[in-house]
Amino acid sequence: MTHPGEITRRQLLRRIGLTAFVAGPGAGLLSACATGGAGDEPTATPTGTIAVSADPKNPFGVDAKKPLEVTIFSGGYGDAYAKDLHEEMYKKRFPGVTVKHNATQEIGTQLRSRFVSGDVPDVVNNSGPAALDLAAMATEGQLADLTALFDAPSLDDPAKKVRDTVTPAVLDNAKIDGKDLVLNYTVSHRALWYNAKLFADKGWTLPKTWAEFKALGETAKQEGILLFAYPGQKGPYYQLWNALYTAAKIGGNQVIIDIDNLVDNAWNAEAMKQSVTAWVEIQTLYGDKAYFGLDHTQTQVKQLQNKLLFYPVGSWIENEMAKDKPKDFEYAIAPIPDVTAADKMPYGAIQVGVGENFFVSAKGKNSQGGLEYLRIMLSKEGAKGFTEKTLNLTVVNGAAEGLDLTPGLKSAAKAQDTAGQNIITDARFEGWYKELFDYGTQQINVVMAGRITPEKFCQNMQKKADAIKKDSSVSKQTRGQ
C-alpha cells in the first residue's frame, strides 16, 4: 500500500544513487572536474538572481580573482569535507584564488550580527541547534536564488542540468515562498540506532511490536542497560523528530503533512497523542532523567559504552562518533516498532529525507562564486568525497556507486530497501517555522520528563501553531501530498 508523500523503492534508490551498493558494487564513479575560466558575464537582477551564461565551464561568470568565504557547521559531519575537498576543488578551478574557511557549531550566534551589518559569508552551511531562521532570512532578502544553479550544466556532463543529477526531493525542499533558495545536500536515515554486535552477542532480536519493545526493556534493565535515551541538551529535537515519525507510522504521512501545512488541530491528531504517550511510557519505565542534562555527544558516548540500547538519530552518527567508537560496536538502524495493531505504516517503515542545508548569500561579495561552489559540491567527485569523509550519502545520483560503505550505511541501505514504498516523510516546518520547531524542542523535554501530559503537549503545540498561522508577519508555506 502506498501512503501520501511516498515514492517507490526503485525510484528512491535510483534517485539517490543507492542501487549499486544495495545490489552489489558498481563499476566505479565518473570523475570530472572542468577547468575554470572567464566566460560570458551573466546578468544579475536586483533580486539577487543570476542568469546562466553560455559558457559551461563558468556558467555564473565567476571572477577568478575574487575571494570566497565559506562558513561550515562543524557538527556530525565535521568540516574537513569543505576545507580539504570542496574548497580545494574550487581553488583548482580558479588558481590563485583565496578561500576563507570558517567552522563553528553556533551558526546563528556567529552570523546574525554579520547579516545585520552586511558583512556576510558567501556560502553558509546552516545547521545545528543554533541555525539561522531561513524563512526570516528569505523575507529579508538574504538568500540568493538558486535557480541558476539548478539550471546550470553539471560538472560531470555539460549536456545535463544540475537539476537532472539530484534526487527530486532536493528541488521540492529548495523552495521558500515559491523560490529556490536552499540546497539540502545529504540523504539521511532517521530511526532508532543500536549496536548490532551487542545484539548478536546477547542473542537479542529487534522488537517489532511495542510489547516486544517493552519486553526487551525489561531484559536490558536486568543487565543495567537503558532501553532508550536521547540528549536533553543540544539534541532534544532528536526526540521531537522521533515522536513525529512515530505519529506518521501510526497515522500515515498525512499527520506530518497536516502539521507542516498548519492545518487546524493537526497537533491534536490521535496518532500524535498516541506517539507521545507511547514514548513517555518508555521514558518512564526504561529511561533515565539524568540524560536530560547531557548533550548529544555525551549521550552518544553512553551508547558506545553499551549503557543504552536505542538512540533516535540520523545516519550521520557513525561519522560523528568514529573517533570514539570501540571495535566491538557496530552501528545499525532499527525501524520504529508497531505502536498499535492498526498502524497505517507496517513494521519496517523508516524516515528517509534530505537535509544539511546550504545557501548562498544574496548580499555576499561573491555570489557567483558561491553558486559555483555549490555546483562543485553537486559533482560526483565532490559528492563521492563527501561520503568518503563523512560516512553519509549525498543527494547526487549515482555518487555512491563503487564505494566501500561502512556497516551503518549498509544497514541503512538494507533498511530502506526493506521499507520499499513505506518511507516516512520529513517534517518541513522545522525550516519553515523555526519558532514552532524550537518551541517543540522545549516542550518535548517537558512532556518526556512527566511535567505535562501528552495531551497537554499536543495542546501546547497546537496553540503555538495557531498563533503562527494567525500571525500575518510570518510567511506561510504549503506542501502537497
Side-chain angles (χ1 to χ4, degrees):
M1 180 178 180
T2 303
H3 300 281
E6 294 165 6
I7 60 177
T8 68
R9 172 185 62 83
R10 185 178 296 275
Q11 286 174 323
L12 187 53
L13 293 177
R14 185 184 297 117
R15 289 174 183 175
I16 62 177
L18 290 176
T19 309
F21 69 75
V22 172
L29 289 170
L30 294 175
S31 178
C33 184
T35 58
D40 298 334
E41 184 72 19
T43 303
T45 71
T47 60
T49 301
I50 297 173
V52 180
S53 79
D55 182 2
K57 293 183 179 180
N58 190 8
F60 312 120
V62 177
D63 183 342
K65 297 180 180 179
K66 265 190 177 182
L68 183 76
E69 183 177 353
V70 179
T71 296
I72 299 295
F73 172 69
S74 184
Y77 301 128
D79 66 318
Y81 71 86
K83 187 175 183 179
D84 300 335
L85 175 65
H86 297 149
E87 291 170 18
E88 290 301 315
M89 290 176 68
Y90 186 88
K91 291 176 185 177
K92 183 178 179 181
R93 291 181 62 73
F94 306 106
V97 72
T98 298
V99 178
K100 182 179 180 181
H101 174 88
N102 304 313
T104 178
Q105 291 194 10
E106 302 290 337
I107 290 292
T109 304
Q110 288 204 8
L111 295 185
R112 283 190 189 95
S113 61
R114 293 190 60 184
F115 277 98
V116 171
S117 69
D119 175 26
V120 299
D122 301 300
V123 178
V124 176
N125 167 211
N126 184 53
S127 190
L132 293 160
D133 186 331
L134 289 178
M137 295 280 287
T139 300
E140 295 166 3
Q142 299 284 5
L143 309 183
D145 194 322
L146 301 185
T147 302
L149 169 67
F150 295 136
D151 284 341
S154 72
L155 282 178
D156 301 300
D157 182 358
K160 285 186 178 181
K161 293 182 178 181
V162 169
R163 67 173 64 249
D164 298 323
T165 67
V166 298
T167 173
V170 172
L171 306 177
D172 293 339
N173 285 271
K175 296 187 182 298
I176 299 178
D177 293 332
K179 297 179 181 179
D180 295 327
L181 301 177
V182 183
L183 170 65
N184 287 277
Y185 189 58
T186 63
V187 174
S188 64
H189 300 73
R190 298 175 187 167
L192 301 173
W193 286 78
Y194 72 103
N195 181 3
K197 286 188 176 181
L198 175 65
F199 272 61
D201 291 344
K202 299 288 187 181
W204 294 340
T205 58
L206 291 179
K208 294 184 177 181
T209 68
W210 215 251
E212 292 175 357
F213 194 42
K214 291 194 291 184
L216 179 58
E218 293 293 342
T219 299
K221 185 187 290 187
Q222 297 302 314
E223 300 199 24
I225 304 173
L226 296 179
L227 176 66
F228 168 85
Y230 74 94
Q233 303 295 320
K234 293 187 177 181
Y237 56 90
Y238 288 176
Q239 177 55 16
L240 179 58
W241 286 338
N242 192 37
L244 287 163
Y245 302 149
T246 302
K249 186 186 181 311
I250 297 170
N253 277 331
Q254 194 65 45
V255 175
I256 293 179
I257 293 170
D258 286 349
I259 285 174
D260 286 344
N261 287 338
L262 299 178
V263 171
D264 291 345
N265 279 317
W267 283 96
N268 287 319
E270 188 60 29
M272 195 70 223
K273 293 178 183 177
Q274 289 175 316
S275 169
V276 178
T277 299
W279 283 111
V280 168
E281 179 188 27
I282 293 299
Q283 174 64 38
T284 302
L285 295 176
Y286 310 111
D288 184 344
K289 290 184 180 179
Y291 281 73
F292 293 161
L294 303 183
D295 64 22
H296 63 294
T297 303
Q298 292 168 325
T299 305
Q300 288 157 199
V301 167
K302 295 282 189 183
Q303 187 182 34
L304 293 179
Q305 297 168 344
N306 288 326
K307 293 182 178 180
L308 65 102
L309 294 186
F310 294 106
Y311 182 63
V313 71
S315 43
W316 57 83
I317 188 173
E318 193 171 28
N319 178 67
E320 189 168 29
M321 304 307 293
K323 293 180 180 179
D324 300 302
K325 186 177 70 66
K327 292 182 179 180
D328 62 349
F329 195 102
E330 183 178 295
Y331 278 113
I333 195 171
I336 297 167
D338 292 339
V339 181
T340 76
D343 284 5
K344 285 194 176 180
M345 287 191 177
Y347 174 76
I350 61 170
Q351 196 276 344
V352 182
V354 296
E356 202 63 15
N357 65 72
F358 289 74
F359 67 81
V360 174
S361 300
K363 301 177 183 179
K365 297 180 180 67
N366 192 2
S367 296
Q368 286 90 348
L371 292 180
E372 182 64 15
Y373 183 86
L374 296 190
R375 189 168 76 117
I376 287 170
M377 289 175 57
L378 292 173
S379 69
K380 284 189 175 180
E381 180 183 352
K384 175 187 176 183
F386 178 90
T387 297
E388 290 174 327
K389 287 181 177 296
T390 68
L391 308 183
N392 207 86
L393 303 168
T394 73
V395 297
V396 179
N397 296 334
E401 293 175 5
L403 290 178
D404 182 17
L405 298 173
T406 60
L409 285 183
K410 289 178 181 177
S411 172
K414 182 178 180 181
Q416 181 176 316
D417 190 43
T418 300
Q421 298 177 16
N422 299 295
I423 301 298
I424 298 172
T425 189
D426 57 326
R428 299 184 190 174
F429 77 93
E430 175 181 356
W432 290 350
Y433 311 113
K434 191 171 186 299
E435 183 180 350
L436 179 61
F437 187 78
D438 288 348
Y439 182 71
T441 65
Q442 298 167 3
Q443 289 294 298
I444 201 69
N445 265 353
V446 175
V447 70
M448 291 295 285
R451 296 199 296 272
I452 60 173
T453 65
E455 290 78 11
K456 183 63 175 174
F457 168 85
C458 292
Q459 291 169 9
N460 289 349
M461 293 302 299
Q462 188 58 52
K463 184 177 180 180
K464 189 69 171 179
D466 290 343
I468 290 173
K469 185 174 182 178
K470 294 175 183 177
D471 188 346
S472 60
S473 70
V474 178
S475 179
K476 306 304 188 297
Q477 315 295 325
T478 57
R479 63 180 293 186
Q481 301 298 311

